[in-house]
Amino acid sequence: MAKVIEGLYYSESHEFVRVEGDFGFVGITDYAQNALGNVVYVDMPEVDDEVEAGEEFGAVESVKAASDLISPVSGTVVEVNETLDDQPELINQDAYENWIIKLQLSDKGDLDNLMDAKAYAAFCEK
């Protein structure tokens, strides 16, 4: 069973958002990294890029597959996790600690469309 953390928001495409004030830290879930296998590359947007909820903002590549990253929320990229450029495998070690982008949230209402930990855990069991 994949690790699911309380207090985060989850999308059906297996991204999570950790909200801190007006910012959202977006990454892939433990379930997603487990399904992908060894992550070898993370394609991230640039700082100041706008991302829209439900739209692609990058990709994660593993030895098995490449998977598009779909933003669960809308906002402006204020930071990318540059550590992942040299150490993409950190996502496999702890997907929740190793977020991919930090957004200035443009509409917290986006969060209403996401799952809580309990709903996401049930979704993953299907």
Side-chain angles (χ1 to χ4, degrees), residues 17-25 73-76 78 102-108 111:
V17 184
R18 183 178 78 235
V19 177
E20 292 182 6
D22 292 328
F23 297 98
F25 294 84
V73 290
S74 299
T76 304
V78 293
K102 178 181 177 183
L103 297 175
Q104 169 87 47
L105 300 172
S106 59
D107 182 2
K108 283 192 172 178
L111 299 170

Side-chain angles (χ1 to χ4, degrees), residues 7-28 45 49-58 69-79 99-115:
L8 302 180
Y9 297 88
Y10 298 90
S11 69
E12 289 189 1
S13 54
H14 304 289
E15 286 85 16
F16 73 86
V17 184
R18 183 178 78 235
V19 177
E20 292 182 6
D22 292 328
F23 297 98
F25 294 84
V26 178
I28 65 170
D49 280 0
E50 298 285 331
V51 298
E52 291 292 323
E55 300 289 318
E56 182 185 327
F57 71 85
L69 294 166
I70 308 298
S71 187
V73 290
S74 299
T76 304
V77 178
V78 293
E79 190 177 342
W99 50 272
I100 297 170
I101 58 172
K102 178 181 177 183
L103 297 175
Q104 169 87 47
L105 300 172
S106 59
D107 182 2
K108 283 192 172 178
D110 289 341
L111 299 170
D112 297 338
N113 301 322
L114 302 173
M115 293 176 273

Side-chain angles (χ1 to χ4, degrees), residues 24-87:
F25 294 84
V26 178
I28 65 170
T29 65
D30 189 54
Y31 180 93
Q33 73 78 19
N34 199 36
L36 279 167
N38 293 338
V39 174
V40 294
Y41 178 72
V42 183
D43 180 34
M44 295 177 274
E46 301 288 323
V47 169
D48 293 329
D49 280 0
E50 298 285 331
V51 298
E52 291 292 323
E55 300 289 318
E56 182 185 327
F57 71 85
V60 175
E61 294 178 22
S62 71
V63 291
K64 295 198 291 197
S67 182
D68 289 338
L69 294 166
I70 308 298
S71 187
V73 290
S74 299
T76 304
V77 178
V78 293
E79 190 177 342
V80 296
N81 189 347
E82 293 178 359
T83 307
L84 298 176
D85 285 338
D86 296 325
Q87 297 176 289

